[in-house]
Amino acid sequence: GEDSRSFHVSIQAPLSIVSIGEAYSVTAVAGGQLILECPEDAVPPPHIEWHRESSPLQEDARRQLLAGGRFLQIQALGAADGGEYSCRATNALGDTSLRVQVEVHG
């Protein structure tokens, strides 16, 4: 018999991302936009929370959560947007978290 599988991998990252242990470092350009992903495909779908510098992230005109919180989009980046961002995904089976250190140059 024969068995075949196909996989589609999509990577959207015009940014430099460097892994540092469990944290990632992202360098972005001032005035541009940044999209951070909380890579979680758990079943059941998790509840996702985003934090910036340990405080719950507040959405506003420039910072929006997309796809149920899986993505954090920041527009019109400025130096003040730099810092540590983290996401935590939680469901009945447990939780996982990811930290991203963002640097804005410009």
Side-chain angles (χ1 to χ4, degrees), residues 42-106:
V43 177
H47 170 71
I48 298 175
E49 295 176 351
W50 283 91
H51 291 78
R52 179 176 181 273
E53 301 293 347
S54 302
S55 298
L57 186 86
Q58 301 297 320
E59 289 186 84
D60 56 31
R62 296 188 311 110
R63 297 187 290 193
Q64 298 180 323
L65 299 179
L66 309 174
R70 180 168 178 176
F71 297 95
L72 167 62
Q73 179 184 57
I74 306 172
Q75 297 178 330
L77 283 166
D81 292 312
E84 184 179 272
Y85 291 79
S86 62
C87 70
R88 181 178 179 129
T90 307
N91 70 7
L93 304 177
D95 65 76
T96 186
S97 62
L98 175 74
R99 289 178 296 145
V100 180
Q101 187 69 34
V102 174
E103 289 185 33
V104 180
H105 295 280

Side-chain angles (χ1 to χ4, degrees), residues 27-40:
T27 302
V29 178
Q33 82 166 2
L34 175 67
I35 297 179
L36 300 177
E37 179 182 3
C38 197
E40 190 50 56

Side-chain angles (χ1 to χ4, degrees), residues 5-20:
R5 294 182 184 185
S6 63
F7 297 93
H8 175 72
V9 178
S10 174
I11 299 174
Q12 297 179 338
L15 307 164
S16 59
I17 299 177
V18 181
S19 175
I20 309 172

